[in-house]
Amino acid sequence: MPGMQPDATDLLIENLPPAQPHLRVAVVTETYPPEVNGVAFTLQRVVDGLRERGHQVQLVRPRQSSDPQDGAATHADVLLRGMPIPRYPHLQLGLPARKRLQALWSRQRPDVVHIATEGPLGWSALRVARKLRIAVTSDFRTNFHAYSSHYGMGWLSKPIMAYLKRFHNQTLTTMVPTAALAERLAAAGFERLQVVGRGVDARIFDPALRSAALRQRWGADESGPVLLCVSRLAREKNLALLIRAYAQARLQAPQTRLVVVGDGPARAELQAQAPDAIFTGQLSREELARAYASADVFAFPSRTETFGNVVLEAMASGLAVVAFDYAAAAQTISSGHDGLLVPFDADAAFVQHVTDLVCQPARIRALGAAARQTALQADWSAIIDRVAAILQAASAQPGIAAEPAGSAAARQAA
């Protein structure tokens, strides 16, 4: 009535920010946990975060050996046929699935399709989403074009890059993990790039998990430094340089131990080069966290990462990191404060940094403590909010067809 003053409840309601609409998102990927790799773990964190925010996420992926064989799946997973990747039988490659996806998305139309991998399944999803005029976004997560030179197929680099550019330029947005990678891709003709970083769960990766018993099994006591590397064991990871650094470090500090976590086609070759090193194979998430926390120095020689989640995991675990000035390390580490960065092509400097560090226990502790504090700032929450905002903007892009008549009712009934 005239003259009446609004009460406190009215003021509170008026000042509430407008609610963000919940999205129906189809996430398409050819890798997902329990497969062990950075792409799989990152994607799981994003999917879980979107679901926690109330978005409906339909996960489309190849069936894995651990999945129920009766077709049942958790949440809204859509499990499709896949095949083992050559030389990586524990990983699946998605097979083309255009008919299945077209039927699925015609019946239950997503607001946006997000494609995380560029294999046959990802290509099928791209074709179907464009045909149905559904908004589609993508991730650039793996330097396939850079890997080819490590297998005597450097001539494939340009065709692979051309395919990746054609793939991603058909999406409304391509998310990349670092500004440096975005600059390189933009120079190569990639369009509509947005930088979305990666986070780390510092509750999982925690120095408090350090285990004297585990170190004893490795043959190390508290006075002897443990070098750790977590990686796929393959040529493109530059692990021969790790073995070289370890050999040099043992000349200066004979009690140094090397622990290598991971598996892959180069494992036998690397074990032959460093027979006294510990090769654990793949570890569960919990075992991996204990391994990080029980080491001292994280030596990471790769130069083919799009990001390198392991760098943040090592930092969160309180390790002194030695890595090339590239990808996650370049974005995260302030050299000399919370880790050591090496110029991109300076192999000798990498060896020297590792060798010097194993003889400086106080510096190892100082770098590790600072690394932990830096990693605590890499919060997943803000990253997932950014992903959600990008997906929301894509779903509202002009030129995307409106839903067919009657589909809104169908969505309510679904």
Side-chain angles (χ1 to χ4, degrees):
M1 294 184 64
M4 290 185 64
Q5 297 296 316
D7 63 23
T9 303
D10 296 326
L11 292 173
L12 283 174
I13 293 174
E14 289 175 3
N15 286 311
L16 284 174
Q20 292 297 314
H22 290 157
L23 294 170
R24 188 190 292 273
V25 184
V27 175
V28 182
T29 179
E30 282 156 287
T31 184
Y32 202 75
E35 292 180 348
V36 180
N37 61 73
V39 174
F41 288 136
T42 296
L43 198 57
Q44 182 184 48
R45 190 65 188 86
V46 170
V47 166
D48 289 347
L50 291 173
R51 286 171 170 164
E52 289 165 2
R53 285 157 175 75
H55 301 293
Q56 297 180 50
V57 180
Q58 178 189 73
L59 183 63
V60 180
R61 61 176 177 84
R63 181 181 297 279
Q64 300 174 3
S65 59
S66 59
D67 289 318
Q69 296 304 306
D70 59 1
T74 60
H75 297 294
D77 292 7
V78 176
L79 307 181
L80 303 176
R81 291 186 307 124
M83 61 177 290
I85 296 177
R87 307 185 76 183
Y88 294 95
H90 56 284
L91 298 179
Q92 292 287 307
L93 180 69
L95 297 177
R98 288 178 62 183
K99 289 184 179 179
R100 176 76 183 276
L101 293 178
Q102 183 163 331
L104 180 69
W105 293 340
S106 296
R107 184 174 64 251
Q108 191 178 53
R109 181 185 179 90
D111 298 308
V112 59
V113 171
H114 180 69
I115 304 174
T117 55
E118 305 97 336
L121 178 58
W123 180 254
S124 293
L126 177 62
R127 296 289 299 275
V128 172
R130 286 176 59 83
K131 180 177 181 178
L132 297 178
R133 296 185 62 77
I134 301 170
V136 57
T137 61
S138 62
D139 283 330
F140 190 99
R141 292 182 177 271
T142 306
N143 284 331
F144 293 113
H145 59 291
Y147 291 177
S148 57
S149 62
H150 294 274
Y151 294 92
M153 295 184 291
W155 58 274
L156 281 175
S157 179
K158 287 186 177 179
I160 293 172
M161 194 64 163
Y163 166 77
L164 293 173
K165 181 168 68 174
R166 181 184 175 206
F167 185 103
H168 289 285
N169 283 357
Q170 294 183 68
T171 72
L172 293 171
T173 297
T174 296
M175 303 183 208
V176 296
T178 68
L181 178 59
E183 290 175 5
R184 290 198 299 275
L185 293 178
F190 286 68
E191 302 168 352
R192 297 178 297 281
L193 304 169
Q194 294 209 46
V195 177
V196 179
R198 306 271 178 88
V200 65
D201 192 333
R203 296 167 300 177
I204 294 175
F205 299 101
D206 188 337
L209 296 174
R210 189 175 180 90
S211 168
L214 180 56
R215 288 177 63 89
Q216 187 175 28
R217 289 203 299 273
W218 291 340
D221 57 27
E222 286 305 315
S223 65
V226 172
L227 288 179
L228 177 71
C229 185
V230 179
S231 175
R232 184 170 68 252
L233 306 188
R235 290 182 187 176
E236 69 270 13
K237 297 300 184 178
N238 198 28
L239 295 169
L241 182 61
L242 172 70
I243 302 301
R244 179 177 151 196
Y246 171 55
Q248 191 65 33
R250 292 205 74 184
L251 293 177
Q252 300 299 317
Q255 71 275 32
T256 302
R257 302 293 291 163
L258 172 63
V259 176
V260 180
V261 176
D263 212 341
R267 179 171 176 172
E269 178 183 352
L270 293 166
Q271 285 181 304
Q273 294 173 4
D276 54 353
I278 306 295
F279 287 80
T280 70
Q282 289 187 347
L283 300 179
S284 69
R285 204 69 163 157
E286 294 75 17
E287 292 170 331
L288 177 61
R290 284 194 294 273
Y292 274 121
S294 301
D296 302 293
V297 176
F298 187 75
F300 193 57
S302 177
R303 287 188 286 242
T304 57
E305 307 300 307
T306 54
F307 188 76
N309 296 40
V310 293
V311 170
L312 271 179
E313 291 168 358
M315 294 177 73
S317 302
L319 302 190
V321 176
V322 180
F324 286 104
D325 190 1
Y326 174 70
Q331 181 172 293
T332 308
I333 292 173
S334 176
S335 192
H337 168 64
D338 50 11
L340 298 175
L341 295 177
V342 181
F344 187 76
D345 291 321
D347 285 7
F350 182 91
V351 172
Q352 192 63 55
H353 276 341
V354 172
T355 302
D356 290 345
L357 198 55
V358 297
C359 300
Q360 300 174 309
R363 193 179 191 204
I364 290 173
R365 289 192 294 272
L367 290 172
R372 170 71 178 175
Q373 293 306 308
T374 298
L376 290 175
Q377 307 307 310
D379 180 43
W380 267 116
S381 181
I383 293 166
I384 294 167
D385 285 344
R386 177 156 170 74
V387 172
I390 291 172
L391 296 176
Q392 184 70 58
S395 72
Q397 286 268 5
I400 300 300
E403 292 187 359
S407 64
R411 283 180 57 163
Q412 292 296 324

